[in-house]
């Protein structure tokens, strides 16, 4: 499985990686962020959402209490001349305990339209989607260092079929 790995030494560097990831995202896509508390999932999301031009970094905060934050991109890159909006969802499943909890989040709506869905703690639920899925693992690497590993996956963990070698 092709994986890309980066080591960052500050939250600013992690945000910069998030912006690089954003440049490659195109709806619909699911971004799964795995890693311990404090490993930098929300920090990386600041870079992704800011890179998508959906919000300022400081307006991207942990969805610990609301569990889902919704953003919009007006006329996303590559959308052509027709004006349209793409939604970006930032979800935190840390507190999700059961299926009823998950249903109450309205994630099905998010997954029924072509959007960009970024999920912290995806291990707390099994997602069934045909959407392209990017899995990103963040690990503490001593002090302010974080190791960020990016894998291109399908929902079930199988490598996504490539159209080119
Ligand atoms: P998570 O969402 O995984 O719980 P956060 O992004 O909320 O983690 O928090 C990461 C914390 O670690 C922040 O306080 C951030 O400033 C700090 N930090 C220190 N070094 C880094 C780094 N290299 N990358 C990301 N965050 C870092
Ligand atoms: Mg977080």
């Amino acid at each position: 499985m092709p994986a890309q790995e980066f080591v960052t030494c500050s939250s600013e560097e992690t945000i910069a990686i998030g912006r690089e990831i954003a440049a490659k995202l195109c709806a619909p896509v699911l971004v799964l962020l795995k890693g311990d508390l404090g490993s930098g999932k929300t920090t990386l999301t600041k870079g992704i959402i800011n890179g998508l031009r959906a919000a300022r970094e400081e307006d991207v905060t942990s969805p610990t209490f609301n569990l889902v934050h919704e953003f919009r991109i007006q006329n996303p890159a590559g959308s052509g001349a027709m004006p349209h909006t793409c939604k970006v969802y930032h979800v935190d499943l840390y507190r999700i305990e059961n299926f009823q909890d998950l249903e109450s989040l309205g994630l099905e709506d998010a997954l029924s339209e072509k959007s960009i869905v970024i999920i912290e703690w995806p291990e707390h639920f099994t997602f069934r989607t045909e959407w392209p899925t990017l899995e990103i693992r963040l690990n503490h690497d001593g002090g302010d260092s974080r190791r960020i590993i990016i894998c291109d996956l399908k929902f079930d963990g199988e490598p996504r079929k490539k159209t080119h070698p």
Side-chain angles (χ1 to χ4, degrees):
M1 184 188 314
Q4 268 184 298
E5 200 169 310
F6 302 89
V7 175
T8 64
C9 298
S10 67
S11 49
E12 289 74 21
E13 284 183 24
T14 295
I15 288 171
I17 298 288
R19 288 208 192 89
E20 283 180 31
I21 293 167
K24 295 177 185 148
L25 294 181
C26 184
V29 67
L30 196 59
V31 180
L32 308 180
L33 300 182
K34 297 186 173 180
D36 294 340
L37 277 176
S39 60
K41 301 179 293 300
T42 301
T43 304
L44 187 74
T45 306
K46 284 176 185 282
I48 297 176
I49 291 180
N50 181 251
L52 289 167
R53 292 188 286 126
R56 296 179 304 177
E57 280 163 31
E58 56 268 39
D59 293 331
V60 178
T61 55
S62 178
T64 314
F65 298 104
N66 295 346
L67 307 186
V68 181
H69 290 169
E70 187 182 314
F71 302 88
R72 283 159 200 258
I73 318 172
Q74 302 296 341
N75 303 327
S79 63
M82 288 293 284
H84 85 281
T85 303
C86 171
K87 287 189 188 161
V88 181
Y89 295 91
H90 179 199
V91 184
D92 190 332
L93 297 183
Y94 186 62
R95 289 157 180 262
I96 285 291
E97 309 241 306
N98 56 47
F99 188 68
Q100 278 74 26
D101 281 0
L102 192 79
E103 275 197 318
S104 70
L105 291 185
L107 261 190
E108 278 167 23
D109 288 347
L111 292 171
S112 68
E113 55 190 321
K114 279 191 173 183
S115 53
I116 295 173
V117 181
I118 303 164
I119 302 182
E120 299 189 34
W121 295 101
E123 304 90 332
H124 288 201
F125 191 72
T126 304
F127 291 93
R128 303 218 164 272
T129 175
E130 290 298 326
W131 284 13
T133 301
L134 204 61
E135 182 179 299
I136 304 177
R137 167 116 226 144
L138 295 100
N139 292 327
H140 288 269
D141 205 27
D144 282 347
S145 291
R146 302 290 189 276
R147 190 169 293 270
I148 302 172
I149 303 150
I150 306 175
C151 298
D152 188 2
L153 298 177
K154 215 185 149 202
F155 74 93
D156 55 5
E158 292 294 316
R160 186 146 57 95
K161 285 198 185 85
K162 300 276 187 193
T163 50
H164 54 84

